[in-house]
Amino acid sequence: MRAQARTQSSIAVTGGNVAGGGSWVLVNASPDILSQLRANPDLQPGRQVRDSALVAIILVDAQVDHTTGLYMLREAVRPWPIWCTDRTQADLTRGNPILSVLSHYCGVEHHRIDFGSAAFAVDAVPGVRFRALPVAGKPAPYSPSRDSPISGDNIALLIEDAQSGRTALYAPGLGAIDDQLWDAMQSAACVMVDGTFWTDDEMIRLGVSRKYARDIGHLPQTGTGGMLEWLGRLPSATRKILIHINNTNPILNESSAEATEVGRRGVEIAWDGMEIEL
Amino acid sequence: MRAQARTQSSIAVTGGNVAGGGSWVLVNASPDILSQLRANPDLQPGRQVRDSALVAIILVDAQVDHTTGLYMLREAVRPWPIWCTDRTQADLTRGNPILSVLSHYCGVEHHRIDFGSAAFAVDAVPGVRFRALPVAGKPAPYSPSRDSPISGDNIALLIEDAQSGRTALYAPGLGAIDDQLWDAMQSAACVMVDGTFWTDDEMIRLGVSRKYARDIGHLPQTGTGGMLEWLGRLPSATRKILIHINNTNPILNESSAEATEVGRRGVEIAWDGMEIEL
């Protein structure tokens, strides 16, 4: 077995000159954010004490693995501009009120993400536009709508280079692919999509949970209508990357038949420090 | 400057045969718990999927830097036995309700820490006894008693080898030293004490906060009645270790005059992976 350790799913986006110490938007704040900052000097230019190159945060949902890093960012010198839907904001001020906890430290400047409206931009990161697409999924276990998801509980993020118009789609949690999302996937130059589980029953077979992938809002890679089938229908020029890979997924073992199969299909398996240029 | 990176303050305690893969009590769950587990193979024997050698958790307060690691331990296969005072339990079910969040994952088996009563033991870790001492300090910023601390908001933990009777005192947050605590320090074989700040005004001078060390419940090392003065009065055989060192503290720079001064006084500066045998 050959498997490299991976920290938990999140990305940082910039439109500026990376080498020049540009400003970055963090999309999801994983529990591993401190190691991730240390491993990426671009994100920690060290211009002053407690400085980072992160200037805003976008959350795609209220899950623990996408929000716990906010605690580690609490000592920022100014309130964090945080973009999320009303649904996510509700869960993060009630069931798991991280945003309320932050008010005792750096504070939060909340920006609401709406659907259907124009794309939004983040002030200090010019040249990039974001658009949210609602996706089928599951809100966090502490959400009152856990068992009957509501639009806005989970989003996919379409990230556009304003100059070229090229887009990347970021969707770490994705229970199904509807027409709107499929349109976005087809027109994207790069799709980073839910790579959580290889099979629907993976956690059950390993005895770590009694839940199926689809029960918790994740489309497995294999089986009828699985992620690999969808990705196979995209243009061959589209960069296809599996992200948010659970530690039960056999593709993490680089010498596995499953990882080989993914590679054969022209699909990449994300790794820490991966850089994507649009 | 020569400074090694340190993860955030927490310790693990065992009474058994360490090499044999014994069971450990985690005292405080730092945001760096995942790196700490990875760096200490004794804590991750890997006997089964999602296994660790941790069998229980003791929290000395409800602060973010002592509790955020609980999120990363949420996929445990059984409810975590968590020992804390009623004050800490209240803050962790209200202002920052991590314990309530955990109820949606592995669950929590709460054990109450009382003062004045007999020492307590943790079932799966024989040979070790714990006793809590109330200490002057500050509860977390999200505590309703932030500005008027109540006994139980912060504790020091006296850890006793049941066979030899030798003790270690663990007190990462300590605003003052009262008679009861001083007695415990004098009779301990090892004291691990609040090493957060070198001077009372350290954060103000560096411009990272408007607060004095004493404002937030930490006794600085220097100045009249400072920690080094207290430690200097302990028997020379007592092992004296500064822990919970803030990233503004000059002793983190091993070539600093301050670090040299600490060494000259026979006081150690904690580092990741330090092992203490009683």
Side-chain angles (χ1 to χ4, degrees), chain B residues 151-205:
Chain B
S151 178
D153 280 333
N154 298 78
I155 61 167
L157 199 65
L158 199 60
I159 304 160
E160 183 188 8
D161 180 309
Q163 198 156 23
S164 68
R166 286 164 66 85
T167 58
L169 180 85
Y170 176 71
L174 187 54
I177 295 175
D178 66 11
D179 290 349
Q180 190 185 12
L181 186 65
W182 182 234
D183 284 349
M185 287 173 72
Q186 286 179 290
S187 60
C190 173
V191 297
M192 292 169 273
V193 290
D194 190 337
T196 314
F197 300 112
W198 182 251
T199 58
D200 197 30
D201 63 353
E202 183 172 314
M203 291 204 297
I204 297 173
R205 280 189 297 112

Side-chain angles (χ1 to χ4, degrees), chain A residues 5-8 31-32 34-35 38 49-50 63-65 68 71-72 74-75 77 94-98 100-101 104-105 140-143 203 206-209 246-248, chain B residues 5-8 31-32 34-35 38 49-50 63-65 68 71-72 74 77 94-98 100-101 104-105 140-143 203 206-209 211 246-248:
Chain A
R6 283 167 169 84
T7 56
Q8 292 173 74
D32 295 316
L34 294 181
S35 334
R38 267 194 298 274
V49 175
R50 295 194 170 165
Q63 300 280 356
V64 165
D65 63 340
T68 299
Y71 286 109
M72 287 71 130
R74 71 191 180 283
E75 302 287 5
V77 291
R94 293 179 215 165
N96 186 9
I98 300 183
S100 315
V101 170
H104 298 284
Y105 300 90
Y142 35 80
S143 170
M203 289 203 298
L206 282 168
V208 298
S209 169
N246 198 51
N247 55 12
T248 52
Chain B
R6 283 168 169 83
T7 57
Q8 293 173 76
D32 295 316
L34 294 181
S35 334
R38 266 194 298 275
V49 174
R50 296 193 170 166
Q63 300 280 356
V64 165
D65 64 339
T68 300
Y71 286 110
M72 288 71 130
R74 71 192 180 282
V77 292
R94 293 179 215 164
N96 187 8
I98 299 183
S100 316
V101 170
H104 298 284
Y105 300 90
Y142 35 81
S143 170
M203 291 204 297
L206 282 167
V208 298
S209 170
K211 291 184 177 137
N246 199 50
N247 55 13
T248 53

Side-chain angles (χ1 to χ4, degrees), chain A residues 150-208:
Chain A
I150 294 171
S151 178
D153 280 332
N154 298 77
I155 62 167
L157 199 65
L158 200 59
I159 304 161
E160 184 187 7
D161 179 310
Q163 198 156 24
S164 69
R166 287 164 65 85
T167 57
L169 181 85
Y170 176 71
L174 188 53
I177 295 175
D178 66 12
D179 289 350
Q180 191 186 12
L181 186 65
W182 182 233
D183 283 349
M185 287 174 72
Q186 285 179 293
S187 61
C190 172
V191 296
M192 290 168 273
V193 290
D194 189 337
T196 314
F197 299 113
W198 182 250
T199 59
D200 197 31
D201 63 353
E202 183 172 314
M203 289 203 298
I204 297 173
R205 279 188 297 110
L206 282 168
V208 298

